[in-house]
Amino acid sequence: MSRIAYVAGRYVPHLQAAVHIEDRGYQFSDGVYEVVAVKGGHLVDEEPHLARLARSLGELRITPPMGEAALKIVMRETIRRNGVDNGIVYLQITRGAAPRDHGFPKAAKPVLVVTARRTRPPNPSLARDGISVITIPDIRWQRCDIKAVGLLPNVLGKQRAREAGAYEAWQVDREGRVTEGTSTNAWIVTAAGEVVTRAADHAILNGITRCAVLAIIRSEGYEFVERAFTVAEARSAREAFLTSTTSNLLPVVRIDGEPVADGKPGPLSGKLLAAYLTHASAA
Ligand code: PMP
């Protein structure tokens, strides 16, 4: 099946899908995006993803190119045309194309692009054996709560992780506290058994998976607190893990080459992953 993309009102063959060279997303990273998982043909946590998209647009004062009901139809049609049962839908909205000038253009029309593709679930060995992370300074801007397309620090960080043989890079603020991964949220379980993840302030993206896992933690009655933790704390934690739409929940067993606890995935990570997968597969 050949791939089809939705670009500013039309479904076009993927190879011919294009936006204008003066699109502000291309020139200024002036746009936002979402990635929604498709599992067994249904969209996982569609509502919170669309709510976050609306929030990101609002923070950047970009007018939504269409209403939510229409957007849902476009997402489903893109999924259908690409035959995606398990995979991801990518949505991007930029402020539109206009002669290059930093201030908002008066007349630009926001440009919506939607793509969908099949993906494999994370390799089961990652959840079984755990993954490693490195730590890097967080060099991003001060509005990481907005899911903006400007991802250069994240790109450089992920590449550093890959070159170090790690799965992810945890970014660390000036006070030595972990903010989040380059495309994932960061968690630990303390020696006292308390689950810790940074509060959703402006320093992190409030992950939809993060919210789903927090809801599970609350309903199961586990001890938890939303606060920042240091790299040293993470190294001496009982467990560590990360979450995201595409990674689900993966145990972190090494930080900068040092083992977390006994270097094996912990029991709570396993339980939370199982509960999250149940949540994600519910229609
Ligand atoms: N933080 C960052 C910087 C991300 O890019 C992502 C992935 N979108 C996440 C966290 C995880 O968010 P979600 O659970 O919504 O995929």
Side-chain angles (χ1 to χ4, degrees):
M1 183 183 274
S2 56
R3 291 189 64 194
I4 301 288
Y6 175 91
V7 184
R10 295 193 308 137
Y11 293 94
V12 290
H14 202 263
L15 278 174
Q16 280 132 47
V19 292
H20 195 268
I21 55 164
E22 285 194 310
D23 187 281
R24 291 176 62 92
Y26 181 53
Q27 292 192 325
F28 296 114
S29 300
D30 190 358
V32 301
Y33 74 106
E34 278 296 326
V35 178
V36 187
V38 182
K39 288 192 180 159
H42 89 272
L43 288 150
V44 179
D45 286 336
E46 180 181 25
E47 296 299 331
H49 277 285
L50 292 181
R52 185 172 66 184
L53 179 67
R55 179 182 180 278
S56 296
L57 288 169
E59 292 299 309
L60 299 185
R61 293 159 59 199
I62 296 174
T63 314
M66 60 177 65
E68 206 168 280
L71 185 54
K72 286 181 176 176
I73 291 170
V74 172
M75 288 165 76
R76 280 161 181 72
E77 184 60 12
T78 309
I79 289 169
R80 192 188 69 75
R81 289 191 187 221
N82 289 280
V84 177
D85 251 351
N86 291 291
I88 52 164
V89 186
Y90 176 82
L91 315 173
Q92 176 171 318
I93 299 169
T94 67
R95 203 181 303 277
R100 189 177 183 282
D101 177 56
H102 290 62
F104 296 173
K106 281 204 180 72
K109 242 177 78 190
V111 171
L112 167 67
V113 169
V114 182
T115 58
R117 68 180 169 90
R118 294 182 203 152
T119 57
R120 284 173 205 208
N123 188 331
S125 70
L126 299 174
R128 193 184 55 228
D129 304 333
I131 50 116
S132 27
V133 303
I134 57 167
T135 59
I136 58 170
D138 194 334
I139 57 168
R140 300 175 301 163
W141 72 329
Q142 290 171 29
R143 289 306 306 274
C144 295
D145 56 307
I146 302 170
K147 200 163 170 60
V149 292
L151 290 172
L152 204 40
N154 312 56
V155 166
L156 297 175
K158 188 77 90 189
Q159 184 60 23
R160 267 180 77 174
R162 297 225 167 118
E163 287 171 9
Y167 184 88
E168 177 62 297
W170 277 5
Q171 301 167 101
V172 179
D173 68 17
R174 288 191 189 155
E175 284 76 46
R177 299 169 315 187
V178 174
T179 52
E180 61 181 337
T182 64
S183 63
T184 57
N185 287 113
W187 306 68
I188 57 169
V189 182
T190 65
E194 192 176 46
V195 184
V196 184
T197 195
R198 192 171 178 123
D201 53 17
H202 285 179
I204 68 163
L205 183 76
N206 189 5
I208 303 304
T209 321
R210 174 189 179 281
C211 294
V213 170
L214 274 179
I216 292 164
I217 286 170
R218 276 192 201 102
S219 75
E220 299 284 322
Y222 296 114
E223 294 292 312
F224 79 97
V225 58
E226 290 179 82
R227 66 162 173 85
F229 56 84
T230 64
V231 176
E233 230 184 315
R235 282 213 193 98
S236 59
R238 185 193 282 182
E239 296 182 36
F241 60 93
L242 55 75
T243 55
S244 82
T245 295
T246 49
S247 295
N248 299 319
L249 184 155
L250 291 175
V252 173
V253 295
R254 294 187 96 78
I255 300 174
D256 292 328
E258 298 294 322
V260 176
D262 61 358
K264 298 202 175 72
L268 192 50
S269 309
K271 280 184 195 147
L272 292 174
L273 171 59
Y276 176 73
L277 291 177
T278 302
H279 160 81
S281 64

